[in-house]
Amino acid sequence: MEFSHKKIEKKWQKFWEENHTFKTTDIHDKKAYILDMFPYPSGAGLHVGHPKGYTATDVFARMRRMQQYDVLHPIGWDAFGLPAEQYALKTGNDPREFTAKNIVTFRNQLKTLGFSYDYNKEVNTSDPNYYKITQWIFQQLYKKGLAEIREANVNWCEGLGTVLANEEVISENGKMVSEVGGFEVIKKPMKQWVLKITKYADRLLEGLETLDWPHSVKELQKNWIGKSTGLTIDFKVEDSNENISVFTTRADTIFGVSYIVLAPENDLVLKIANKNNLVEVQNYVTLAKTKTDVERQDDSKEKTGVFTGTYAINPFTNESVPVWVADYVLNDYATGAVMAVPAHDERDWKFATKYDLPIKFVIETKDESKAFIGEGKHINSDFLDGLDRIEALELMTKKAQEMNVGQVKVNYKLRDWLFSRQRFYGEPFPVLFLEDGEIALIDEKDLPLLLPQTDYIKPSGTGESPLANLTDWVNIEYNGQKAKRETNTMPQWAGSCWYYLAYILTTSPNNLIDINSKEAMQLFKKWLPVDLYIGGQEHAVLHLMYARFWHQVLFDLNVVPTAEPFQKLINQGMILADNGEKMSKSKGNVINPDEIIESHGADTLRLYEVFMGPLEASLPWSYKGLDGARKWLDRVYRMIENIELTENNNKNLDFVFNDVVKKVTNMIEDCKFNTAVSQLMVFVNAVYKEEGPIYRPYIENFLKMLSVYAPHLAEELWEKIGNQASVCLEEWPNYDETKLVLDTVTIAVQINGKLRATFEASKGMSKEEMLIKAKEISNVQEFLAGKEIIKEIAVPDKIVNFAVK
Ligand code: ANZ
């Protein structure tokens, strides 16, 4: 018999909704905050990748609820975003309507999957009640000196009429283009808000140590922060008053410097370039603007550069070395200038061999046909000769400081966070630019500063956002002065920086209590940090870094009580198309979860997606696997349909039941959601093998465990065996350790191919022990007596073999 998933699923979804089954409770002393990375409600709706992570958190949340924890398991919408803006620009419609419609679709889709979200806690980053707090947090950042306006080189995209963040720019044939739409992107200086995340670089590094996060994500964050300790060393420019300050982590190689390189954007370039070289230098500088940083740093690409015609003096050798401009040096890292040591640096080697610049080895190596980057003794290095790297660096650091030509410097790869977007559909900045040049914050009581209603969302043409068109909104009076509003809006990252706090503050959808209140602090103390956070690897750096930064600032402001927001993090793998490719609209290989829910049911989809492999693995979709999941649920349904229950335990299932409960509990605890399912299967197989009636509590407890994976079916079967709903609020089963005596196996003992004895052994007994045990058996001893053993073989858990003569 198959069950009708359509009937069952609708029935229980209605039941849960009407009975507020998954309402966040505040009645226990233990809590679990289980969080999904919330979705951007795109027009395309949910794809099959979403339920993979969402089911994982749901399984965990459901177990915790049954283990008598207060559980916070919410969902919401990362609802500002570029697609809605582009839709508005194209159609003239309000992005808000478009977004609202998409949210309805998303919510309905999630509900058909039976997730145990508390929908009462729903948040929407584009709701004024929500962005009121986003704006408030921005004001705190400003007051703390962590937000300021700077002229910054930005990725300007004429096609989209906006500045893009680095991560929104990709490289196509060596040229920068926008990830969305593929429009050309160039570097252009513009006045922008930046958030000084670099002030928190060390805190962001140190905090990582305390987190239960994948090693790979921690490494990505560490590399992104890129803390590097070195020296800045001054090279005097010949016939000039200018100094070139280079940053180096290898000051010990200074005797091998053969030229200096400036980044094309370095202000010194045009100041020091020789008149005769100026045109060539200027052309090179213009060309560099079209390249991405990644492209410029790509070691597989040929290095390019031009000579400035100028020389600088090595403070340790007094030699003059040529000054070049090359785009492999980045201007916004350290000083934007490098002392090049081609003998010991791959990039410099390539550059020097291409442009025929001298190469001088200063560390001993046998092979001088290529750059040597290993360790060795210094040579050709005056007072450093004979020293190794560490000794030489120490000495150089001392000398450089004594001679007043160098200083210790710590650099970070981390850049301040460019926080302005030339877009309509984002949070307006709660600031005013006054006529006298001052910046004023909008009064806290006047927040939120609403995004104005308009049917005129058009590019401004000036590079400003479409908000610049709304002159009545932009130009206002403030305390008797003329003032202008900021026409930039905040990036989409802003809303997702604190949404996990917003859930805690939400009392009914989009109604939040004041983040800076006593009540809020109490709730934060109850719920923070997030105990389990699951989402895609694509957010390993930016979202997780930005959110940690805001959290740390809020911690410093005494708004939140914990130093870090997300204690445990797991990245779920992707669901790929059946041929292993990434699913994408353009390839036409996207699988729509709605269709699967229709054909196989939500329980099947949930079960399949978590059973297909470890949560972290990216695995191809398989209809065979999906059918398999459904077949097993049918098998469970039939089992209950045909079952006879008894209150008397004949003990046959004692071991398997307790073993399965223990393993399922531990496996879910460890987020090994797939192997826990295998254990449930083991139990069902064992029940099928039993003749006679089955001990009722075992079946009930099985259904409880099933309910975290296949909640609709579990509710239905729970009711079928005469219980009251909801199984989801029952207590999680316990196991009896005393019933878990070690599993034993029967071992056969053969002598010259003939079975002579058997014995019981605990599973996994070692070969040596098996041989000893076998020889202790009297029948075996008799057959061995007076014979020579030529060979003895033990196959664990199976057999012992003696060959005798
Ligand atoms: C001389 C040298 C000799 C270097 C040698 C390396 C090896 P991290 O660890 O990334 O900080 N560098 C400095 N500023 C740069 C910039 N703006 N763009 C590109 N490269 C830059 O690495 C620091 C090293 O990267 C510095 O040490 C410098 O090259 C280069 F055998 O100086 B080194």
Side-chain angles (χ1 to χ4, degrees):
M1 246 314 270
E2 284 192 3
F3 63 92
S4 162
H5 57 262
K6 284 188 196 161
K7 251 200 235 147
I8 291 181
E9 291 178 358
K10 286 249 156 51
K11 169 179 162 188
W12 291 105
Q13 282 158 18
K14 189 159 168 264
F15 176 90
W16 296 327
E17 188 150 343
E18 285 172 0
N19 290 281
H20 309 286
T21 308
F22 305 120
K23 194 172 166 19
T24 311
T25 53
D26 188 11
I27 47 178
H28 300 292
D29 49 1
K30 294 180 293 187
K31 67 94 186 176
Y33 186 176
I34 310 196
L35 182 67
D36 290 301
M37 288 188 185
F38 66 164
Y40 171 67
S42 74
L46 215 63
H47 62 75
V48 286
H50 286 119
K52 183 167 163 150
Y54 295 172
T55 305
T57 49
D58 199 55
V59 168
F60 200 90
R62 283 170 178 275
M63 179 173 87
R64 281 286 187 258
R65 216 175 272 119
M66 295 168 88
Q67 287 172 328
Q68 312 300 302
Y69 283 63
D70 285 326
V71 171
L72 176 55
H73 185 42
I75 193 74
W77 320 107
D78 190 11
F80 278 127
L82 196 52
E85 171 112 0
Q86 284 171 327
Y87 163 85
L89 286 166
K90 241 187 266 159
T91 62
N93 291 324
D94 196 313
R96 280 168 276 224
E97 279 166 31
F98 172 78
T99 307
K101 215 176 85 211
N102 292 345
I103 288 177
V104 171
T105 311
F106 258 77
R107 187 190 297 115
N108 288 339
Q109 283 184 303
L110 290 179
K111 286 196 171 168
T112 60
L113 276 156
F115 295 130
S116 64
Y117 294 127
D118 179 354
Y119 287 95
N120 208 40
K121 291 250 168 210
E122 213 176 292
V123 300
N124 171 345
T125 56
S126 67
D127 188 278
N129 286 341
Y130 187 102
Y131 67 70
K132 170 181 171 178
I133 300 182
T134 314
Q135 290 173 336
W136 181 85
I137 298 174
F138 175 83
Q139 292 196 336
Q140 309 317 305
L141 287 159
Y142 181 80
K143 287 192 219 160
K144 257 180 98 65
L146 292 168
E148 68 178 28
I149 292 219
R150 253 186 237 163
E151 180 102 352
N153 234 350
V154 296
N155 302 310
W156 168 246
C157 179
E158 185 80 34
L160 294 175
T162 186
V163 167
L164 298 176
N166 283 341
E167 64 276 9
E168 294 165 318
V169 178
I170 53 170
S171 169
E172 227 174 62
N173 303 324
K175 293 264 183 288
M176 296 195 292
V177 296
S178 57
E179 190 180 18
V180 177
F183 299 106
E184 191 191 38
V185 175
I186 58 160
K187 294 267 183 207
K188 177 175 160 182
M190 263 181 123
K191 277 211 162 30
Q192 307 286 312
W193 282 103
V194 287
L195 298 188
K196 296 194 204 163
I197 188 170
T198 51
K199 288 230 150 129
Y200 278 69
D202 279 324
R203 290 268 295 280
L204 289 166
L205 264 184
E206 285 155 20
L208 285 175
E209 303 303 323
T210 65
L211 302 177
D212 180 6
W213 284 20
H215 178 71
S216 61
V217 178
K218 288 189 181 183
E219 282 304 300
L220 280 169
Q221 295 222 340
K222 275 186 203 162
N223 291 337
W224 190 264
I225 296 166
K227 184 172 184 171
S228 166
T229 307
L231 285 183
T232 52
I233 297 181
D234 294 335
F235 284 64
K236 195 181 161 336
V237 179
E238 264 183 18
D239 308 321
S240 150
N241 292 328
E242 302 287 351
N243 267 316
I244 299 176
S245 168
V246 301
F247 173 71
T248 176
T249 47
R250 294 300 307 271
D252 58 308
T253 61
I254 196 147
F255 291 93
V257 171
S258 56
Y259 59 102
I260 297 286
V261 193
L262 297 178
E265 302 84 357
N266 193 319
D267 286 340
L268 282 174
V269 170
L270 298 178
K271 279 193 205 153
I272 64 154
N274 192 303
K275 270 198 213 95
N276 301 331
N277 301 59
L278 202 57
V279 175
E280 207 191 339
V281 168
Q282 268 168 337
N283 287 344
Y284 185 79
V285 170
T286 311
L287 186 72
K289 284 194 184 149
T290 63
K291 291 199 195 168
T292 60
D293 288 357
V294 175
E295 169 93 6
R296 285 169 56 163
Q297 296 258 292
D298 184 348
D299 282 338
S300 65
K301 297 272 155 60
E302 205 185 350
K303 304 273 160 281
T304 62
V306 290
F307 178 41
T308 60
T310 305
Y311 293 81
I313 295 163
N314 183 332
F316 284 87
T317 62
N318 286 324
E319 276 168 1
S320 60
V321 288
V323 180
W324 283 66
V325 183
D327 65 11
Y328 73 88
V329 174
L330 302 177
N331 197 40
D332 62 357
Y333 183 61
T335 60
V338 168
M339 60 178 220
V341 185
H344 304 292
D345 182 282
E346 301 271 12
R347 286 179 305 179
D348 298 345
W349 176 276
K350 280 190 192 155
F351 194 83
T353 43
K354 178 171 174 189
Y355 293 108
D356 221 4
L357 292 154
I359 297 175
K360 181 176 158 199
F361 281 83
V362 290
I363 295 163
E364 204 167 37
T365 166
K366 288 195 182 78
D367 182 6
E368 295 200 348
S369 68
K370 56 178 196 275
F372 175 64
I373 41 178
E375 302 279 327
K377 296 269 175 247
H378 283 72
I379 52 171
N380 303 325
S381 295
D382 197 341
F383 56 89
L384 300 179
D385 282 352
L387 302 183
D388 66 21
R389 182 174 57 90
I390 304 217
E391 295 162 339
L393 262 177
E394 261 173 33
L395 188 55
M396 269 306 295
T397 308
K398 212 169 124 229
K399 282 257 180 192
Q401 282 167 335
E402 273 167 21
M403 288 165 61
N404 215 10
V405 293
Q407 286 168 33
V408 176
K409 177 97 194 359
V410 178
N411 270 308
Y412 298 89
K413 294 252 150 55
L414 184 67
R415 296 278 142 269
D416 277 335
W417 174 14
L418 190 63
F419 199 65
S420 293
R421 296 292 182 275
Q422 285 62 48
R423 289 181 194 149
F424 171 82
Y425 202 45
E427 299 85 349
F429 282 88
V431 299
L432 289 168
F433 300 110
L434 308 183
E435 207 175 12
D436 62 12
E438 292 293 304
I439 292 175
L441 293 182
I442 286 172
D443 203 321
E444 218 175 290
K445 71 173 179 1
D446 295 330
L447 295 180
L449 170 62
L450 289 176
L451 191 58
Q453 288 292 343
T454 173
D455 53 8
Y456 189 76
I457 301 176
K458 292 271 155 28
S460 67
T462 58
E464 292 169 280
S465 92
L467 279 172
N469 297 327
L470 311 178
T471 45
D472 287 350
W473 182 79
V474 174
N475 300 301
I476 62 156
E477 284 247 330
Y478 178 79
N479 291 346
Q481 250 196 81
K482 278 193 183 152
K484 269 185 189 302
R485 294 195 194 282
E486 168 68 274
T487 58
N488 289 320
T489 52
M490 298 185 201
Q492 199 180 348
W493 304 111
S496 59
C497 263
W498 70 279
Y499 77 109
Y500 61 95
L501 299 176
Y503 289 132
I504 297 175
L505 301 177
T506 297
T507 51
S508 64
N510 298 316
N511 282 314
L512 297 92
I513 60 169
D514 180 3
I515 189 172
N516 196 24
S517 62
K518 269 207 183 119
E519 199 185 347
M521 183 48 118
Q522 256 180 354
L523 288 170
F524 289 148
K525 279 189 177 151
K526 160 129 199 161
W527 290 110
L528 289 175
V530 171
D531 298 284
L532 177 64
Y533 192 20
I534 295 184
Q537 164 90 25
E538 66 276 18
H539 294 301
V541 175
L542 298 169
H543 158 61
L544 288 170
M545 186 86 86
Y546 295 153
R548 291 182 59 220
F549 165 48
W550 279 33
H551 191 92
Q552 292 180 349
V553 175
L554 292 174
F555 177 67
D556 290 348
L557 289 168
N558 267 324
V559 175
V560 295
T562 62
E564 288 283 339
F566 314 119
Q567 189 52 37
K568 176 168 177 149
L569 171 80
I570 301 182
N571 292 133
Q572 93 246 14
M574 272 189 295
I575 294 190
L576 305 167
D578 50 6
N579 60 359
E581 284 181 355
K582 217 173 149 173
M583 282 190 198
S584 76
K585 248 203 224 155
S586 59
K587 288 202 185 109
N589 58 6
V590 175
I591 290 170
N592 182 342
D594 291 347
E595 285 167 18
I596 307 294
I597 292 169
E598 177 75 19
S599 62
H600 288 70
D603 283 338
T604 304
L605 180 60
R606 293 170 56 111
L607 184 73
Y608 167 61
E609 291 209 3
V610 287
F611 186 54
M612 68 196 295
L615 175 61
E616 296 88 345
S618 288
L619 296 161
W621 177 266
S622 145
Y623 278 101
K624 229 173 115 198
L626 181 74
D627 290 342
R630 172 63 201 226
K631 276 198 192 122
W632 185 71
L633 290 179
D634 283 331
R635 182 171 158 82
V636 171
Y637 184 78
R638 282 195 309 271
M639 172 178 92
I640 301 295
E641 241 197 350
N642 302 324
I643 212 159
E644 196 190 322
L645 296 173
T646 168
E647 302 299 333
N648 298 322
N649 186 4
N650 70 1
K651 303 203 171 7
N652 287 356
L653 292 174
D654 277 6
F655 177 82
V656 71
F657 170 79
N658 286 289
D659 190 48
V660 164
V661 172
K662 180 176 182 177
K663 286 181 175 151
V664 168
T665 310
N666 292 342
M667 286 166 176
I668 296 179
E669 190 74 45
D670 293 343
C671 296
K672 299 204 164 69
F673 301 106
N674 56 327
T675 54
V677 174
S678 311
Q679 289 303 315
L680 293 178
M681 292 175 172
V682 166
F683 180 77
V684 171
N685 291 347
V687 172
Y688 266 98
K689 277 201 198 122
E690 277 298 293
E691 285 160 8
I694 308 289
Y695 187 43
R696 182 179 187 94
Y698 286 176
I699 291 299
E700 290 188 345
N701 282 325
F702 164 76
L703 290 178
K704 292 183 204 168
M705 293 187 287
L706 178 72
S707 79
V708 300
Y709 288 94
H712 310 87
L713 182 62
E715 289 279 26
E716 185 69 18
L717 297 177
W718 182 254
E719 190 183 64
K720 213 176 171 71
I721 62 168
N723 290 315
Q724 284 248 306
S726 157
V727 65
C728 305
L729 298 180
E730 288 292 318
E731 233 177 276
W732 188 256
N734 288 317
Y735 56 89
D736 180 352
E737 195 74 55
T738 63
K739 302 268 163 47
L740 293 177
V741 276
L742 261 188
D743 218 356
T744 56
V745 279
T746 308
I747 308 283
V749 184
Q750 289 193 344
I751 300 175
N752 284 349
K754 285 214 176 82
L755 182 68
R756 296 299 181 193
T758 59
F759 66 94
E760 293 295 302
S762 52
K763 259 191 174 169
M765 179 183 278
S766 73
K767 290 182 185 179
E768 295 72 29
E769 213 180 324
M770 282 171 75
L771 289 169
I772 293 169
K773 280 249 177 210
K775 287 177 194 165
E776 281 168 8
I777 303 170
S778 59
N779 198 32
V780 174
Q781 283 172 351
E782 273 171 35
F783 277 96
L784 295 179
K787 303 252 163 74
E788 184 195 343
I789 300 175
I790 317 166
K791 209 172 186 181
E792 47 184 35
I793 300 170
V795 182
D797 296 345
K798 290 212 168 71
I799 196 164
V800 174
N801 243 317
F802 295 104
V804 296
K805 202 164 62 170

